[in-house]
Amino acid sequence: MVTRINIKELESGGLKIKGLELTVGKFTEFDEWAEPMGPTPYPSLMDLREWDLRLLERYPPFYSPLSDFCEFCTYGKCDLTAGKRGACGIDMAGHMGKWVLLQTVMGTSAHTTHAHHLLNFLIKQYGPDQPINLGGEVEIEAPITRLITGIRPKKLSDLVDVVNYLEGQITHLLSATATGQEQNYLDYESKALHAGMLDILALEVADIAQISALGFPKGDAETPFIEVGMGVVEREKPVILCIGHNVAPGSEVIDYLNETGLYGKVEVAGVCCTASDLARFSSGAKIVGPISRQLRFIRMGIADVVIVDQECVRADVIEEATKVGSRVIATSDQLVGGLPNYTNIDDDIVVSRLVSGEELAVVIQDPVKVGRVAVKAARLIAPLRLNQKGYNRNEIVAKAAACSLCLSCTKNCPIGINVGLAVNTAKRGDQSLLLEVFDECLGCARCDAACPNDIPVLTVIDAASEDKIRNERFKIRAGRGPIKDTEIRNVGRPIVMGEIPGVVVFAGCANYPGGNYDLAKMADEFAKRRYIVVTSGCSALDIARYKDENGQTLYEKYPGAFDAGCIVNLGPCVSNAHAVGAVVKIASIFAKRNLRGNFEEIADYILNRIGAVAIAWGAQHQKAMSIATGANRFGIPVILGPQGVKYRRAYLGRSEDYERWLVYNAKDGRRVYVGPTPEHLLCVVETAEEAMVTAAKLVMRPNDTPKGRMIKLSNYVSLHRQFYGGLPEDLHLFVRDENDLPITMKDEILTLIKQKGWKPTEIPDPTLLSRMIFGGR
Ligand code: SF4
Ligand code: SF4
């Protein structure tokens, strides 16, 4: 934590100083940034607590505990049912708040170590003075960093302070979870919101550093199309597969191939976010797919060398890869997998041991060395492994002969696929059910572990589907990174006024049956309705795995600008920062609000005026929890898909509770009812249809103009009619006066809402902050 002291003007002993800024512990250069410092630069755990408590008062946490017991310490296990307290004195709400905070801190720390490693590497390679440069049309290059820390980073080394701040805050947050520390559930939630906000900051640091140093696209709407799918890799060539999130080792592989004239002679492919980043680095890199493709591609044996870095790497990848003769290089101190450390061993020795099989998997923590070793080893190993690439279909399907139809695999399938029946049917020569299973299967391999006859069930499914796999090829636009300031100037006003009905962001990993289809269906519907649709991370890849009746993916069908009716692929998970950054920039560029160290005011602006909503689909881990919680602190509602209930906490508004929906009218300080806009901050839905209707509702904001609210209501009503038939029952809560009503439905809606006792309300200049009354004067 650093403390800053600003001295506007000082005259002493004939010495006159103007605009001096001091940071306790060290001096910073004079900053010519004209924007005044806001109230909360580098906020601590307490600095934004009042904002959190306002949010939590309106959107109280709803918990669905996994168990009635707490086993966090050796006092336990403690029964927390029916208001009982544990031996440490904690109650169930406190216990759940602690659980939520732990999950969120896990996610935030993963993204922070990612930013840390990447930044250290880029500074080493490109120097501390490498400029932060996101292109000529992005002047607000780091909106989240400006907002939270109060600094305007100009070069890579400026981001070091930000990472130090993140790591310090994470230590404080984690310490609050120790027994005997925090006890109040709302304060646990406030800390979780703090962790979530830090997560978004870590994402921005990682992405602006890599965009600046590695020459990634800088907000270009028309980035190149990249191939995605298990069929895109040319298996006849040596193949290097990168798994995880840190692009550094993979980018060094490509650099080494370029330096040695080998580019194009070795395939470089990726799974998960590393794949998205490699595609931003080089249009020749191939994207195999999201996490659901990880184990399946590994088992096919196509990769000669597998590089794992950090995050989203399956815990059995090293074992599975070496089983099929692939060699593995682990590159991050977050994941060393019990392997020997070869970082300081001569390249030739490492390569010869990998090729001979003396070592099948090693740790190398220097990305440049990884680049050299991976290429050399892959070229030598590939000719020796030709017969290990792809499946021996007959042999694998023959394994199905051992099936006794005990259905143990079916019972252990997390999504209830009757895989046992499919295997047993294949035993009799009919593989049609296996082909059906292929499309639904998550690739988790729980069925393998359950089979008493040691049938590699997942491999049987995939072997039967090898033709499908070979033809699995789709197109995605490479991630574009930031939203340009010029785009914000064009859409800021229509978004704030509600005339563009909303910004819908798809994040997360849709790894459950039909998840990619659900995502594509939703993205298509919102783009058709002229929302701005934004994708990132594995969701962006999942959306690409669906083609319409014309054989096009949505990225081919819609333009990639940040505008109504477009679909923007930001890039990997860390690019989620640009979605939040875009709404922050609307407050700055359109509304001329100061960003510098001014979190609360900007979050209040977003909550009350910018119709943005995120949809996180599929089963995900702690990082999705931290991203969603971060978006919430910024005032952005998040909808979780059917698996989201497993996060065990939602922030739900009570729509009929009048008092909760009072805001200040900044013009005169009166308290004014604005209806449940937005109704929830974090909620769970069961189906894609429910998600669409909910999103159309959650983009409504108190500040919508009558024309804007009319457009939003029109979409809400028509989506509700399309999927459920009839008008929504809660329509009366969102109509302020008759001018809000869609003209073609006016009489029908008026009749309904009058039956509900509807009365007109006013449209204020809304804020939750009393200090913003009279514009903060
Ligand atoms: S690998 Fe597929 S079929 Fe097997 S348990 Fe997982 S989801 Fe079910
Ligand atoms: S667990 Fe094995 S033996 Fe039992 S039904 Fe599944 S594949 Fe057949």
Side-chain angles (χ1 to χ4, degrees):
M1 182 64 207
V2 289
T3 304
R4 288 169 189 272
I5 304 164
N6 286 295
I7 301 172
K8 281 189 184 153
E9 196 166 332
L10 174 72
E11 196 163 356
S12 172
L15 178 68
K16 194 170 181 180
I17 300 173
K18 274 188 172 182
L20 179 67
E21 179 179 279
L22 292 172
T23 303
V24 173
K26 66 173 188 175
F27 290 97
T28 57
E29 286 175 37
F30 175 71
D31 187 343
E32 77 282 9
W33 186 9
E35 206 168 292
M37 183 64 86
T40 55
Y42 287 106
S44 71
L45 272 59
M46 292 297 286
D47 288 342
L48 296 167
R49 179 174 179 251
E50 281 184 33
W51 171 247
D52 297 334
L53 295 180
R54 276 191 193 96
L55 289 177
L56 296 168
E57 185 186 10
R58 189 193 264 191
Y59 305 104
F62 173 83
Y63 297 124
S64 48
L66 185 62
S67 141
D68 292 334
F69 297 92
C70 175
E71 298 183 61
F72 276 174
C73 80
T74 51
Y75 283 134
K77 97 189 200 191
C78 296
D79 180 0
L80 302 180
T81 53
K84 290 201 265 301
R85 288 180 180 269
C88 68
I90 208 159
D91 61 6
M92 180 55 94
H95 170 67
M96 285 305 295
K98 181 189 285 198
W99 187 85
V100 164
L101 174 57
L102 270 171
Q103 296 283 317
T104 314
V105 170
M106 277 188 226
T108 302
S109 57
H111 284 138
T112 300
T113 53
H114 176 188
H116 178 125
H117 289 312
L118 196 52
L119 189 61
N120 278 359
F121 168 73
L122 295 173
I123 287 176
K124 195 171 161 200
Q125 288 299 99
Y126 300 92
D129 295 330
Q130 173 75 20
I132 303 292
N133 176 6
L134 275 74
E137 291 177 64
V138 181
E139 280 181 24
I140 302 180
E141 71 306 286
I144 310 291
T145 306
R146 289 182 180 205
L147 180 69
I148 295 173
T149 68
I151 70 158
R152 187 171 56 168
K154 293 194 171 158
K155 48 191 193 301
L156 289 182
S157 58
D158 293 340
L159 297 173
V160 173
D161 266 356
V162 182
V163 171
N164 288 341
Y165 161 71
L166 286 165
E167 291 173 343
Q169 291 297 293
I170 287 169
T171 307
H172 285 271
L173 289 165
L174 195 53
S175 88
T177 66
T179 302
Q181 302 261 52
E182 187 54 80
Q183 49 187 253
N184 178 279
Y185 77 103
L186 289 177
D187 275 311
Y188 273 124
E189 290 288 353
S190 167
K191 290 176 171 68
L193 288 162
H194 190 61
M197 178 196 75
L198 299 175
D199 187 78
I200 308 287
L201 178 61
L203 301 181
E204 182 175 271
V205 168
D207 210 32
I208 63 174
Q210 62 183 359
I211 290 171
S212 300
L214 297 177
F216 288 1
K218 296 177 162 68
D220 317 318
E222 306 297 317
T223 49
F225 282 107
I226 308 288
E227 285 204 297
V228 52
M230 292 210 288
V232 302
V233 178
E234 292 178 45
R235 54 181 86 183
E236 299 72 26
K237 293 180 183 174
V239 175
I240 298 172
L241 177 73
C242 303
I243 304 177
H245 281 238
N246 187 337
V247 72
S251 66
E252 286 302 318
V253 166
I254 292 171
D255 274 351
Y256 182 72
L257 290 171
N258 279 321
E259 283 161 21
T260 51
L262 292 170
Y263 186 79
K265 295 187 177 143
V266 174
E267 286 284 85
V268 182
V271 174
C272 292
C273 285
T274 292
S276 299
D277 273 336
L278 287 172
R280 295 159 100 188
F281 186 69
S282 164
S283 57
K286 307 278 176 70
I287 303 176
V288 170
I291 192 168
S292 59
R293 293 319 202 221
Q294 195 173 129
L295 181 57
R296 314 177 90 161
F297 194 77
I298 291 280
R299 282 193 176 182
M300 286 172 70
I302 290 173
D304 296 297
V305 172
V306 176
I307 298 172
V308 296
D309 53 85
Q310 66 174 109
E311 304 164 63
C312 298
V313 181
R314 282 183 59 104
D316 53 2
V317 152
I318 296 171
E319 187 185 329
E320 291 280 351
T322 50
K323 262 193 225 166
V324 292
S326 305
R327 308 306 198 255
V328 180
I329 304 175
T331 60
S332 152
D333 54 10
Q334 265 65 42
L335 192 182
V336 289
L339 304 176
N341 190 351
Y342 273 72
T343 306
N344 297 316
I345 308 286
D346 181 75
D347 285 9
D348 291 339
I349 296 173
V350 190
V351 171
S352 86
R353 289 191 185 168
L354 284 170
V355 174
S356 69
E358 188 180 339
E359 296 286 6
L360 293 176
V362 297
V363 173
I364 302 177
Q365 294 200 291
D366 170 2
V368 179
K369 185 184 181 88
V370 173
R372 294 190 305 263
V373 169
V375 172
K376 288 178 187 170
R379 294 186 72 220
L380 291 168
I381 294 164
L384 311 176
R385 296 188 61 257
L386 284 176
N387 64 356
Q388 286 177 286
K389 296 194 176 197
Y391 295 117
N392 180 335
R393 192 190 303 208
N394 293 337
E395 184 191 312
I396 301 271
V397 174
K399 294 197 176 189
C403 179
S404 56
L405 197 58
C406 69
L407 297 186
S408 197
C409 51
T410 301
K411 285 176 214 143
N412 279 281
C413 175
I415 50 174
I417 296 175
N418 194 347
V419 63
L421 183 63
V423 173
N424 203 265
T425 310
K427 174 178 162 180
R428 286 177 271 114
D430 176 1
Q431 296 181 11
S432 58
L433 291 181
L434 284 177
L435 290 172
E436 282 175 29
V437 168
F438 175 82
D439 289 328
E440 290 179 53
C441 171
L442 305 179
C444 71
R446 273 209 229 168
C447 44
D448 286 29
C451 178
N453 298 326
D454 294 330
I455 297 173
V457 181
L458 174 60
T459 308
V460 171
I461 298 168
D462 285 356
S465 308
E466 196 167 10
D467 290 343
K468 265 190 179 179
I469 291 172
R470 278 186 184 271
N471 290 318
E472 192 183 90
R473 304 172 87 96
F474 306 93
K475 282 195 176 147
I476 185 172
R477 276 191 194 285
R480 55 167 281 180
I483 304 304
K484 291 179 176 174
D485 298 7
T486 41
E487 292 174 295
I488 298 291
R489 276 186 200 103
N490 289 337
V491 300
R493 183 182 178 79
I495 289 175
V496 173
M497 297 304 165
E499 290 150 14
I500 288 178
V503 181
V504 183
V505 182
F506 291 97
C509 325
N511 51 342
Y512 75 94
N516 65 318
Y517 175 63
D518 279 346
L519 277 173
K521 185 168 59 175
M522 290 190 277
D524 194 22
E525 185 72 47
F526 285 119
K528 271 192 295 203
R529 290 173 178 270
R530 301 194 54 73
Y531 289 72
I532 298 175
V533 176
V534 176
T535 69
S536 67
C538 281
S539 276
L541 304 183
D542 277 313
I543 285 172
R545 292 197 304 115
Y546 166 78
K547 287 181 184 168
D548 67 9
E549 60 283 0
N550 301 316
Q552 285 188 310
T553 67
L554 295 184
Y555 297 105
E556 295 169 281
K557 185 171 168 185
Y558 293 102
F562 189 76
D563 204 347
C566 297
I567 297 187
V568 179
N569 175 22
L570 296 175
C573 278
V574 289
S575 297
N576 272 308
H578 305 302
V580 181
V583 295
V584 169
K585 290 211 288 192
I586 290 172
S588 167
I589 293 171
F590 166 68
K592 308 268 183 279
R593 301 283 182 118
N594 287 341
L595 292 187
R596 193 174 193 182
N598 196 21
F599 183 87
E600 191 182 52
E601 180 182 334
I602 298 300
D604 178 64
Y605 185 91
I606 294 169
L607 180 72
N608 283 299
R609 296 163 199 269
I610 301 181
V613 64
I615 299 180
W617 214 238
Q620 300 140 45
H621 41 58
Q622 300 89 2
K623 292 187 300 156
M625 180 95 159
S626 55
I627 293 175
T629 308
N632 289 161
R633 201 187 216 191
F634 278 87
I636 301 171
V638 178
I639 299 168
L640 302 172
Q643 311 296 319
V645 73
K646 295 176 194 163
Y647 283 125
R648 315 212 159 273
R649 184 265 267 128
Y651 293 140
L652 302 178
R654 309 281 186 267
S655 60
E656 301 289 350
D657 187 344
Y658 181 89
E659 290 291 322
R660 285 183 205 267
W661 309 108
L662 295 175
V663 301
Y664 292 109
N665 185 350
K667 288 182 192 139
D668 54 21
R670 280 179 308 116
R671 300 272 279 163
V672 177
Y673 174 78
V674 290
T677 49
E679 186 176 13
H680 306 299
L681 212 47
L682 185 68
C683 63
V684 180
V685 298
E686 289 297 322
T687 63
E689 288 72 24
E690 189 185 352
M692 286 188 261
V693 174
T694 306
K697 184 159 64 166
L698 292 186
V699 294
M700 289 189 233
R701 293 292 181 275
N703 184 65
D704 295 335
T705 60
K707 184 178 168 199
R709 182 59 66 90
M710 189 191 294
I711 292 168
K712 291 182 182 185
L713 278 174
S714 226
N715 281 296
Y716 177 43
V717 169
S718 90
L719 281 163
H720 192 277
R721 277 202 158 125
Q722 189 174 327
F723 301 127
Y724 300 117
L727 293 173
E729 284 296 317
D730 57 359
L731 211 40
H732 58 292
L733 300 171
F734 304 105
V735 180
R736 287 116 9 127
D737 64 36
E738 292 190 24
N739 294 323
D740 286 348
L741 294 170
I743 294 159
T744 53
M745 304 179 234
K746 191 167 182 175
D747 293 342
E748 187 186 5
I749 294 178
L750 259 183
T751 307
L752 175 89
I753 63 177
K754 281 183 178 169
Q755 285 166 4
K756 301 260 182 188
W758 171 80
K759 299 242 173 352
T761 54
E762 62 183 287
I763 306 174
D765 183 1
T767 177
L768 297 187
L769 307 175
S770 56
R771 69 180 171 85
M772 294 310 298
I773 295 168
F774 304 119
R777 289 189 299 280

